[in-house]
Amino acid sequence: EISEMSERSKQNVAHGLAWSYYIGYLKIVLPRVKKSMEEFSRANPNLLAYRETWKLHILVPLSCDIYDDLEKADSNIKYLTDLTETTLTRAGTKKRVYKHSLYTIRDEDKKLWHCAVEYATPLQSLYAMSQDECAAFSREDRLEQAKLFYRTLEEILKGSKECTGTYRLIAYEESGEAESHFLSREILWHLQQQHREEYTMYEGNQPHNPNTTLSSTELNLQISQSDLPQPLRSDGF
């Protein structure tokens, strides 16, 4: 009966996608991210200036609207290169390749920041389901599932020792107005926040460490915390 209720309310969709994303991808690639960043930094010592940003930045748009090309999403985001590939034999596929792309993000002062960034690909499935009549998946369902996906993924990663310090979740809800540089500002806010946190720790002060526990029923988009959605900030950024 519980299983049937979950099926009817679609509660199992986001939960399953989050676990699949973690087990089938993040648990494999995240422990290797910093090594790849270190290798790139040795070859390009002037580009990756802030070690605290040597993470995979995972974009979680609650609209589930994903661009295949980040440069088309925002002209302040430019592809730079790919990090070192990881090649594994996986599920019958010989030499399966896993890799991440490094991007240059230009801020309002024309300063260039660099980071590895990509979308959480399971959100494409949620979006496709909302476009397919067979799935009977409404836009409201999609939004709720996107929130549940984020909360579930965050809790999974919090409990993963292998992935500690290797990722940054960037969840956001785009405003109704067309903003050509919305995405770059979101990414930059997180990069600058990480840099400030690292600087504070280096100076020997206690960094601000907000409680990032989310409501079990609703993701509050107005909470200003480092790994929660940030577009409703009032800090002028």
Side-chain angles (χ1 to χ4, degrees):
E1 290 179 359
I2 294 175
S3 177
E4 289 179 358
M5 290 173 62
S6 295
E7 288 286 349
R8 285 196 297 270
S9 62
K10 304 180 179 66
Q11 291 175 354
N12 58 332
V13 175
H15 187 267
L17 285 175
W19 272 103
S20 178
Y21 185 46
Y22 169 69
I23 295 294
Y25 180 64
L26 294 181
K27 191 176 181 180
I28 298 170
V29 303
L30 286 181
R32 297 170 170 84
V33 166
K34 286 201 172 181
K35 181 180 178 182
S36 296
M37 301 288 274
E38 287 171 357
E39 291 175 355
F40 181 85
S41 182
R42 284 196 295 269
N44 305 272
N46 297 323
L47 289 182
L48 299 180
Y50 308 122
R51 180 177 287 268
E52 63 275 9
T53 64
W54 292 9
K55 304 172 183 178
L56 181 62
H57 296 77
I58 304 170
L59 302 176
V60 186
L62 298 182
S63 66
C64 299
D65 192 6
I66 289 176
Y67 286 83
D68 290 325
D69 189 341
L70 282 173
E71 293 178 313
K72 292 182 179 179
D74 190 320
S75 61
N76 280 345
I77 302 174
K78 298 295 182 184
Y79 168 78
L80 181 62
T81 189
D82 290 330
L83 295 175
T84 305
E85 297 177 350
T86 296
T87 304
L88 300 172
T89 296
R90 184 86 174 164
T93 300
K94 294 288 187 180
K95 298 181 179 179
R96 177 169 289 182
V97 175
Y98 299 86
K99 67 178 181 180
H100 309 291
S101 294
L102 198 66
Y103 286 87
T104 299
I105 317 293
R106 186 178 66 228
D107 66 19
E108 294 178 350
D109 298 322
K110 309 301 180 184
K111 180 180 177 180
L112 301 181
W113 299 67
H114 301 88
C115 70
V117 59
E118 61 189 50
Y119 284 103
T121 52
L123 296 179
Q124 288 181 313
S125 297
L126 288 178
Y127 188 86
M129 287 177 67
S130 69
Q131 303 298 306
D132 193 319
E133 292 182 1
C134 295
F137 205 74
S138 68
R139 290 183 61 184
E140 291 75 18
D141 290 331
R142 186 179 72 198
L143 177 59
E144 290 305 310
Q145 290 300 306
K147 293 177 182 179
L148 179 57
F149 172 84
Y150 171 77
R151 293 199 302 269
T152 304
L153 183 61
E154 184 186 47
E155 289 302 313
I156 293 170
L157 288 171
K158 278 183 180 178
S160 175
K161 293 181 180 179
E162 307 101 304
C163 298
T164 300
T166 64
Y167 68 92
R168 181 85 166 190
L169 296 180
I170 304 178
Y172 58 91
E173 184 173 47
E174 295 181 87
S175 64
E177 300 177 2
E179 297 181 50
S180 58
H181 300 305
F182 173 86
L183 186 56
S184 61
R185 286 200 299 270
E186 282 297 306
I187 297 171
L188 283 166
W189 190 89
H190 282 268
L191 293 176
Q192 292 164 350
Q193 180 75 2
Q194 290 172 88
H195 180 48
R196 286 194 294 269
E197 289 169 356
E198 184 70 13
Y199 179 79
T200 301
M201 292 178 68
Y202 180 78
E203 290 293 305
N205 299 321
Q206 285 294 327
H208 178 55
N209 185 24
N211 179 10
T212 57
T213 302
L214 300 178
S215 164
S216 62
T217 58
E218 186 69 16
L219 177 62
N220 187 345
L221 299 179
Q222 299 187 30
I223 297 177
S224 179
Q225 297 173 350
S226 61
D227 280 339
L228 296 184
Q230 301 298 330
L232 300 184
R233 295 190 305 271
S234 59
D235 55 8
F237 200 7

